[in-house]
Amino acid sequence: MTDAPDVGELTPPDRTLMGPGPSDVHPRVLRAMSTPLVGHLDPSFVAVMDEVQELLRYTFRTDNQWTIPVSGTGSASMEAAIGNLVEPGDTMLVPTNGYFGGRMASMARRAGGEVVHVDAPWGEPLDPADVQDAFDEHQPDVLGFVHAETSTGVRQPNVPELTSIAHEHDAYVIADCVTSLGGVEMRVDEWDVDVAYSGPQKCLSCPPGASPLTLNDRAMDRVLSRETEPRSWYLDLSLLEGYWGEERAYHHTAPITNVYALREALRLVAEEGIERRWERHLDVAGALKAGLETMGLEMNAPDEYWLPSLNAVRVPGGVDDSAVIGYLLDAYDLEIASGLGDLSGEIWRIGCMGHSARPKNVTYVTAALGDALTAQGADVDVDAGLAATSEHLGE
Ligand SMILES: *Cc1c(COP(=O)(O)O)cnc(C)c1O
């Protein structure tokens, strides 16, 4: 037998989280997480469940009855969406323009589906004409797309165009809204999205653990009339209906503390107002963008599909991207991230999500990144950048 390990008190560094997630958590959410537990079937918790569902509908802009937090991270709500919609032998059309389209493809294959692709380079959105061509060629049953591609900083515009192409072909649409929900305009009902999923630790600024999912009746009818059971028992929506639907019967023990946290994070969304929250992300991330561009840096995405919640900034020639990331962490306790896949070494990814989307944070990032670049000998005008950030913020 070994001795009891001598593990010290937990003292994480005081980081400012401006990477691709998690984002800074609001103190009210942290406080909600220290609220005493009740049972997951306690009448008081059943009322909390109803409130969370109501707040999620508001945030997704939907009246969908089928709106729940899935136990697990964003990948769990993603797998619940894909694993329930796709049956063996179905065809799912997925994009190639970023990391998360690739994850959609893996999940669809594991569900027994056949995967076909609509191509666009990393760093560009899907062109509706290409989606139309892919439908004509492959007749897929399900279209998946990523509304806010966290790997590239690209916002998919033309969502209603994509959904109408899919519906003209009797297909279902699954939208990845992990980095858009609560930060970037997304209107599930008005834009005719059948299934949308998200995660709590991006624009909702909540710790990971309970992840938003919504399905309209048409999608839920398909799920409930499957010929084969979904391969995951844990994420089978026909079973989860027993807990989150009318019955409120045991399926698994909900992560009660995470549901409390999500409730508080969503209350903050409702207090601010969803449209004002979208505006805030545009304004605050816009100030960051103005500052960085004025300093002499270049955004990877053009303005038409720039994603305010995830700013992809080109690494200037001669600069070592990971040295800058390390410097920011050491000297400023500031987290930003490097590029992935096709954009590895080419961009930095700077999140501006939820509680992190604040004027003081973007001013801090502008100053700190300017300093890191100056230390690397890059030719940047930090003062001009800071003045532009400040001006954009109306200071
Ligand atoms: C973060 C993210 C996910 C996965 O969420 P996890 O919480 O890491 O499981 C899926 N899609 C997109 C676009 C994301 O940014």
Side-chain angles (χ1 to χ4, degrees):
M1 292 285 262
T2 54
D3 293 338
D6 179 19
V7 176
E9 199 185 331
L10 182 65
T11 51
D14 183 17
R15 306 283 198 222
T16 297
L17 299 177
M18 299 297 281
S23 55
D24 285 341
V25 175
H26 195 285
R28 265 174 53 185
V29 174
L30 291 175
R31 237 173 9 245
M33 294 184 80
S34 57
T35 306
L37 291 204
V38 294
H40 59 287
L41 294 170
D42 190 291
S44 72
F45 192 68
V46 169
V48 167
M49 292 165 71
D50 288 338
E51 289 165 348
V52 169
Q53 290 184 283
E54 206 45 50
L55 288 161
L56 279 177
R57 289 186 191 102
Y58 170 75
T59 306
F60 271 124
R61 313 310 297 130
T62 185
D63 291 328
N64 289 343
Q65 171 73 17
W66 258 91
T67 305
I68 66 169
V70 175
S71 302
T73 70
S75 302
S77 61
M78 181 176 192
E79 195 143 30
I82 295 170
N84 281 276
L85 258 283
V86 175
E87 274 201 79
D90 285 349
T91 302
M92 181 165 174
L93 179 64
V94 302
T96 60
N97 62 342
Y99 179 85
F100 290 102
R103 187 173 293 186
M104 278 186 164
S106 304
M107 288 181 176
R109 269 189 217 105
R110 283 171 188 237
E114 200 139 319
V115 170
V116 291
H117 293 104
V118 51
D119 290 315
W122 279 50
E124 284 180 33
L126 299 180
D127 183 335
D130 294 336
V131 174
Q132 179 73 58
D133 289 347
F135 264 94
D136 292 341
E137 189 182 343
H138 304 293
Q139 299 293 325
D141 304 286
V142 178
L143 162 68
F145 74 91
V146 181
H147 183 224
E149 188 34 276
T150 323
S151 64
T152 63
V154 165
R155 181 180 58 83
Q156 177 64 49
N158 325 109
V159 172
E161 257 184 273
L162 302 188
T163 57
S164 70
I165 294 167
H167 293 146
E168 277 158 21
H169 291 79
D170 272 338
Y172 294 78
V173 177
I174 300 178
D176 182 316
C177 303
V178 177
T179 293
S180 57
L181 186 70
V184 179
E185 181 176 14
M186 167 39 78
R187 300 177 185 274
V188 166
D189 285 4
E190 200 179 313
W191 294 354
D192 233 355
V193 173
D194 299 298
V195 182
Y197 61 84
S198 187
Q201 76 276 20
K202 315 259 171 135
C203 298
L204 298 176
S205 279
C206 181
S211 296
L213 172 68
T214 188
L215 294 87
N216 61 18
D217 287 345
R218 178 170 172 263
M220 200 56 195
D221 285 348
R222 175 180 171 92
V223 169
L224 295 177
S225 60
R226 286 175 63 106
E227 281 169 18
T228 57
E229 289 178 334
R231 290 183 177 178
S232 168
W233 177 88
Y234 193 64
L235 299 173
D236 182 340
L237 291 173
S238 71
L239 300 180
L240 285 173
E241 188 195 17
Y243 183 53
W244 286 100
E246 303 274 289
E247 209 182 329
R248 300 283 151 112
Y250 173 68
H251 173 259
H252 67 274
T253 310
I256 295 149
T257 303
N258 291 92
V259 176
Y260 287 166
L262 186 59
R263 177 181 180 279
E264 194 61 24
L266 294 169
R267 278 183 76 217
L268 286 161
V269 175
E271 280 172 26
E272 182 172 10
I274 186 70
E275 293 185 343
R276 273 186 52 204
R277 193 173 171 102
W278 296 336
E279 280 298 313
R280 169 165 63 85
H281 280 77
L282 276 175
D283 284 348
V284 173
L288 175 67
K289 176 172 174 288
L292 299 180
E293 286 176 339
T294 305
M295 193 189 292
L297 298 172
E298 197 191 326
M299 304 298 288
N300 196 57
D303 290 354
E304 310 94 83
Y305 44 87
W306 161 66
L307 176 61
S309 51
L310 197 287
N311 296 271
V313 182
R314 304 233 23 114
V315 177
V319 170
D320 175 349
D321 66 315
S322 51
V324 167
I325 291 170
Y327 183 94
L328 293 176
L329 202 62
D330 289 342
Y332 289 92
D333 258 328
L334 173 62
E335 179 180 282
I336 70 165
S338 58
L340 289 176
D342 290 2
L343 293 171
S344 172
E346 311 230 335
I347 59 168
W348 288 296
R349 294 181 301 143
I350 307 178
C352 195
M353 305 180 187
H355 190 53
S356 289
R358 280 181 291 164
K360 73 167 194 173
N361 285 38
V362 294
T363 304
Y364 191 55
V365 171
T366 309
L369 186 58
D371 176 34
L373 287 165
T374 305
Q376 287 247 339
D379 180 22
V380 284
D381 188 342
V382 186
D383 289 342
L386 278 168
T389 298
S390 173
E391 191 190 358
H392 197 99
L393 290 168
E395 287 170 351

